[in-house]
Amino acid sequence: MASFYAQQHEGHRTASGAPYHAEGMTCAHRTLPFGTMLRVIDLDSGRSVVVKVTDRGPFVRGRIVDLSLAAARSLGMVSRGVARVRIERLAPGAAGPSPRAHPAAALARSAEMAAR
């Protein structure tokens, strides 16, 4: 089961030291290393979201992950409060290329540097 953080936690420090932002795609997990990327799949709707582990929890029996408000919204679980989910640990870089790694971004930077 997954649950999500209330908006009242906005700006509070997470266990990783990073501030919680309700609109960030983050989560809490009891044991996975900070920075781990997870795909969270809602077993009822089939929707999925990719989040980064930045905090510890949940500490409620039967729950495996606490999601940010934005991630919960993406899964469509806010009105339900909890959702039956499966989590998949993603390999580094599996969530998609970073903007810096994208060839078009590299070309744009090269053109920008040449124009100087």
Side-chain angles (χ1 to χ4, degrees), residues 33-77:
F34 297 132
T36 300
M37 300 300 291
L38 301 175
R39 180 177 319 281
V40 181
I41 302 120
D42 184 319
L43 297 176
D44 296 320
S45 71
R47 289 178 166 179
S48 69
V49 65
V50 174
V51 292
K52 181 187 227 180
V53 176
T54 60
D55 204 3
R56 291 291 173 234
F59 300 108
V60 175
R61 186 181 195 103
R63 295 192 189 163
I64 58 172
V65 68
D66 269 336
L67 300 169
S68 65
L69 182 58
R73 239 188 248 123
S74 291
L75 289 180
M77 63 174 276

